[in-house]
Amino acid sequence: MLSRWFPAAIHTRPTEWSRAAIGMALGTMLSVWLCGQVFGLEVAQHLIGPLGASAVLLFAVSSGALAQPWSIVGGYLCASVVALLVAHVLGRTLGSACLAAGMALVLMCWLRCLHPPAGALAATMVLADPSIIALDWQAVGAAMLAGSTLLLSALAYNNLTRVRYPKRASEPPPVIPADHSPVDRQAITAEDLKLALEQMEAFFDVTPEDLEQLIHASERNARRRSITEVLSGRG
C-alpha cells in the first residue's frame, strides 16, 4: 500500500531537465513581459500562475497530448470566455470560480483541447484583481496574448534545442495488397490501443501512436535480449 505513494522514476537525463527549465523560464518571462506591455504589468502578473503551469507542459512534456498547440489555444479561450460569462452572471465568488473551472473542463473535453492549466486560468479570471476586472471582455485578449506568446516560445525553443514540437502526426498504416496477408494478424496496432483507451474511460496524457511506438521498441529490445541470451548460452 505504501509503495504506491513513492514517485515513479523519471526516464530523462539531467541535461533534459536543464533544457526544459531554461525554456520554461524564458518562455514565461517573455509571455508576461509582452502581456504587460499591452495590458499592464498587474494584469500580466495575475496570469503568471496558469502560464507557469502551461510552461511545464510545453517545455518538459511537449510530446504529451495535453501540451499540443490546440490544447493551449483552445483551452485558454474556453477558460477565459467561460470565466467571464460566469462572473457576469453569478458574480465573482469562490463558488462561481470553482463552477467556472468545472464548466471549462467540460467544454475543453467536448472541443478536444483539454489543458489542465486552463482550469486554473478560469478560476483566476473569476477571482480577478481590479486591473483585470476593469478590462472586462478585453481580459480574453490578455489571456490569449500571454498563452499564444508562450506557445510560440515553445515552438521556437523546442525545435532549436532539437526537440520536435508540435508532435508530428502519425503516418497512416501501410496498405497491404489483397493477395498478401499480414505477417502477424494479432500484432497490436494504434487502432487497437485507441479502442483500449476508450474502453478504460479515463484520462491518459498519451496518444495511441506513442503507445504503439513504445510497444514496438519494447518488442525489439526483448528480441535483442533473447538473442543475446541464446548466444551467451551457446558460448
Side-chain angles (χ1 to χ4, degrees):
M1 181 68 71
L2 292 177
S3 63
R4 299 177 183 178
W5 292 84
F6 289 99
I10 299 178
H11 301 289
T12 53
R13 299 178 179 178
T15 53
E16 172 60 20
W17 307 346
S18 301
R19 186 206 66 82
I22 294 172
M24 175 183 173
L26 294 176
T28 306
M29 183 181 298
L30 178 61
S31 302
V32 173
W33 176 82
L34 184 58
C35 184
Q37 294 298 308
V38 179
F39 294 97
L41 185 58
E42 291 184 358
V43 172
Q45 289 179 340
H46 195 71
L47 300 175
I48 196 171
L51 287 172
S54 295
V56 173
L57 293 175
L58 290 174
F59 293 95
V61 285
S62 58
S63 63
L66 304 180
Q68 299 311 300
W70 172 235
S71 293
I72 185 170
V73 173
Y76 270 49
L77 182 60
C78 291
S80 56
V81 171
V82 168
L84 289 175
L85 283 173
V86 170
H88 277 81
V89 175
L90 301 178
R92 299 180 180 275
T93 65
L94 177 60
S96 59
C98 296
L99 177 62
M103 292 175 62
L105 171 63
V106 173
L107 185 57
M108 286 187 288
C109 290
W110 183 59
L111 295 177
R112 301 181 182 180
C113 57
L114 184 61
H115 187 65
L121 176 64
T124 297
M125 293 190 70
V126 172
L127 299 176
D129 62 6
S131 60
I132 289 185
I133 295 176
L135 289 176
D136 198 26
W137 285 101
Q138 292 184 14
V140 176
M144 295 308 298
L145 175 61
S148 299
T149 303
L150 185 64
L151 173 60
L152 292 176
S153 301
L155 283 168
Y157 182 83
N158 285 338
N159 286 283
L160 287 174
T161 53
R162 299 181 180 182
V163 174
R164 187 182 296 275
Y165 180 79
K167 183 175 176 58
R168 182 175 57 183
S170 59
E171 298 179 357
V175 178
I176 301 174
D179 56 343
H180 290 80
S181 59
V183 177
D184 185 2
R185 291 183 179 273
Q186 295 184 349
I188 297 175
T189 65
E191 289 300 320
D192 298 324
L193 293 168
K194 182 178 180 181
L195 179 59
L197 289 174
E198 292 176 353
Q199 291 171 342
M200 295 180 72
E201 298 182 350
F203 290 111
F204 293 95
D205 187 19
V206 65
T207 63
E209 291 77 17
D210 289 334
L211 289 175
E212 186 180 26
Q213 293 178 6
L214 180 61
I215 290 174
H216 290 167
S218 300
E219 290 173 343
R220 289 194 298 270
N221 293 332
R223 284 195 295 269
R224 293 193 189 101
R225 175 177 50 78
S226 178
I227 294 173
T228 301
E229 291 176 352
V230 171
L231 293 177
S232 61
R234 289 181 179 179

